[in-house]
Amino acid sequence: EGRGGGGEALAARTIDRWSERERRQETTTTTTRTMSSGGEGTTYDLVVIGAGSGGTRASRMTAKAGLKVAVVELPYALVSSETEGGAGGTCVIRGCVPKKLLVYASSFQADFKDAFGFGWQEGERSFDLKKVMEKKSNEVGRLNGIYGRLMKNSGCDYHEGRGRILSPTTVEVTAPDGTKTSLETKNILVATGGRAFVPDLPGKELCDTSDEALVYDEIPKRMVIVGGGYIAVEFAGIYSGFGAEVHVVCRKPLPLRGFDDECRQLVLDNLVKRGIHVHVNTSPVSVSKSENGTSLSVRVRTAEGEETSIECDKCMFATGRRPNVQNLGLENVPLVKQGDNGKILVDDFLETGQKGVWACGDVIDRIQLTPVALMEGMALKETYQGNPTKPDYECVASAVFCQPPLATVGMTEEEAKEKVAGEIDVYVEGFRPMKNTLSGRDERSLMKMIVETATGRVLGAHMVGPDSPEIMQGIAVAIKAGATKSVFDSTIGIHPSSAEEFVTMRTMTRRVQCKGEGVAQSKI
């Protein structure tokens, strides 16, 4: 059988791999979990390179199961580099957590304006970016410490330094002081995540990524953000909320490629209504210092070939992330293959082409979301215990924390047209949120459901509007359980709320003929 298809064969290999350890576990679990540092001469069941979301979950759960685990992670720093990272990884240190805290901070400006419509009077107010950045950094540092303690308290040996694979059974750790330690192991898990990058163009050295934008000590008067993905629109909202004049340079006609087109259009409309300048169908050409020597000039070109310059104080690129595979020693395990941009290729059970070398999280070519990495870590733990488990990527909900946010689960209308056989029914509701009727804010919410006509099964749900991530998490449970439109229709709504719209959409907006080959009973 081909790789990933032989579940029983994989189970046999895994059980054999762990059998000796499991026999020891029956009588020495307590002793095993309190074994000390594990330097030269120790043989591990698993060495994990990377202590982000996936690596931490896999290592903790595997160690709790009684297996001998070591974790290798770079020293902590707010901005990542070849030599600095930290327990918690991108999400905790320079991703989801600090970003969301800054989204909260920036949203108060809109809240203050909305309050006037409810009778509150204009008063003196000011904003201190240094203060919020300091508090954000303190919180991130606290979480970094918690992650380290979680692993150690689970029985993992924690090694600070750079991990490099020397062979399928050896990982070399170079500590910050330059000393080297070799860890012998039966299995290696690569969970090194990814890093933001600036593409090659003249003046790239003058540009920042989201890492730097999370530690600015002053608000730029003018800021250019290059990119049209979720990081670009989220940071546009953050710094616009802080008072900067923000320009977004987006190569496509709409931001957020891969999300539902109607949602994408509404997000674009809301960005513009909040005073953000969005340059669609436009690409960067170069970045240079302005004549005054203190500001930057970003040269851009439209799809029609017209060029212009945008003056700014900061230029941030949000054009994607690349896997952290540099200096990892993959050349020493030639059966490990890499795909686009260096992403490590794995089978259905997250094992690479080299037996005993595994990978998960943003370093592989799957879904790059923290909860997905956590799920992969749990699947690996089961596999390591002799219960081969494939990660489940069905109905993964996600959110974009633009302002107001977008949330989604399941198929978009565009995806359903390509994959589903037969027809789909599309339900769309657009409305002005109740709060905006008094605040006067010119923003609308949108809710959308994609339903398979033949079965009534809800294939996807999408929303742009306040609280959409909180609402969508509950909708995701229903869709993953296979709920049909009739189940939604028979559910009593909570009134007055935006969420009740999902159970009161009775009028079909359109019926669409699809061109896919999927059958009604197949998983989405």
Side-chain angles (χ1 to χ4, degrees), residues 151-416:
M151 285 178 284
K152 293 174 183 176
N153 292 341
S154 298
C156 300
D157 291 336
Y158 190 85
H159 297 262
E160 186 172 84
R162 167 168 287 283
R164 178 177 172 81
I165 300 172
L166 299 184
S167 77
T169 59
T170 306
V171 173
E172 179 185 74
V173 181
T174 303
D177 63 3
T179 60
K180 296 181 184 295
T181 303
S182 290
L183 308 180
E184 298 300 322
T185 181
K186 299 174 184 177
N187 291 267
I188 297 170
L189 172 60
V190 178
T192 49
R195 285 175 59 195
F197 77 100
V198 178
D200 288 328
L201 81 168
K204 62 176 293 186
E205 69 281 357
L206 301 173
C207 304
D208 296 329
T209 68
S210 54
D211 278 20
E212 290 79 20
L214 285 168
V215 295
Y216 287 163
D217 58 5
E218 61 181 33
I219 302 167
K221 292 182 179 180
R222 297 161 298 174
M223 183 175 184
V224 170
I225 299 176
V226 180
Y230 70 94
I231 295 175
V233 298
E234 288 172 344
F235 276 82
I238 289 170
Y239 276 95
S240 176
F242 288 161
E245 176 188 312
V246 177
H247 294 254
V248 175
V249 176
C250 178
R251 185 166 55 90
K252 299 291 185 180
L254 291 173
L256 300 175
R257 180 171 60 90
F259 290 85
D260 187 89
D261 282 355
E262 282 183 284
C263 294
R264 297 169 69 194
Q265 183 62 61
L266 185 55
V267 168
L268 174 59
D269 293 344
N270 289 338
L271 289 171
V272 174
K273 286 179 178 180
R274 293 205 176 202
I276 296 168
H277 306 271
V278 184
H279 307 263
V280 298
N281 296 314
T282 303
S283 300
V285 176
S286 64
V287 181
S288 60
K289 285 193 174 183
S290 300
E291 292 182 0
N292 59 22
T294 59
S295 59
L296 301 175
S297 178
V298 182
R299 191 73 175 169
V300 298
R301 180 186 298 125
T302 67
E304 292 76 28
E306 298 180 5
E307 291 194 8
T308 187
S309 294
I310 307 172
E311 302 299 312
C312 64
D313 302 295
K314 293 288 187 180
C315 178
M316 170 189 149
F317 269 74
T319 49
R321 301 177 65 82
R322 288 182 175 171
N324 279 327
V325 292
Q326 297 81 10
N327 300 317
L328 189 56
L330 293 181
E331 67 276 8
N332 297 321
V333 277
L335 293 180
V336 175
K337 304 302 180 185
Q338 295 174 258
D340 294 342
N341 292 325
K343 291 178 181 176
I344 296 176
L345 302 181
V346 294
D347 65 13
D348 289 344
F349 297 90
L350 303 175
E351 191 172 23
T352 69
Q354 172 64 58
K355 181 179 177 181
V357 178
W358 314 72
C360 73
D362 288 0
V363 79
I364 66 173
D365 190 15
R366 301 289 167 86
I367 302 174
Q368 297 187 355
L369 293 171
T370 292
V372 171
L374 297 175
M375 176 270 296
E376 290 171 342
M378 290 303 296
L380 283 165
K381 173 258 184 184
E382 291 294 323
T383 298
Y384 296 152
Q385 284 191 283
N387 177 30
T389 301
K390 297 179 181 180
D392 181 1
Y393 300 102
E394 180 183 356
C395 290
V396 175
S398 63
V400 180
F401 290 97
C402 46
Q403 300 179 40
L406 178 158
T408 179
V409 64
M411 288 187 177
T412 66
E413 181 177 351
E414 295 73 33
E415 184 181 5

Side-chain angles (χ1 to χ4, degrees), residues 33 56 59-67 148-156:
R33 292 190 182 180
T56 298
S59 61
R60 285 179 57 218
M61 295 298 106
T62 302
K64 280 188 173 183
L67 305 177
R149 290 191 295 274
L150 283 172
M151 285 178 284
K152 293 174 183 176
N153 292 341
S154 298
C156 300

Side-chain angles (χ1 to χ4, degrees), residues 439-491:
S439 71
R441 178 168 297 280
D442 182 20
E443 285 178 355
R444 295 177 64 81
S445 290
L446 181 143
M447 293 181 174
K448 184 172 183 177
M449 295 181 72
I450 312 299
V451 180
E452 187 176 44
T453 305
T455 63
R457 182 181 178 185
V458 179
L459 303 179
H462 314 274
M463 178 180 175
V464 178
D467 301 319
S468 59
E470 311 296 335
I471 294 169
M472 196 58 63
Q473 184 65 83
I475 300 294
V477 175
I479 293 181
K480 182 142 180 101
T484 62
K485 182 65 166 60
S486 63
V487 171
F488 278 82
D489 292 344
S490 65
T491 301

Side-chain angles (χ1 to χ4, degrees), residues 27-50:
T27 57
T28 63
T29 298
T30 302
T31 302
T32 297
R33 292 190 182 180
T34 57
M35 289 178 68
S36 61
S37 74
E40 301 279 359
T42 298
T43 297
Y44 290 96
D45 294 305
L46 177 67
V47 170
V48 181
I49 305 176

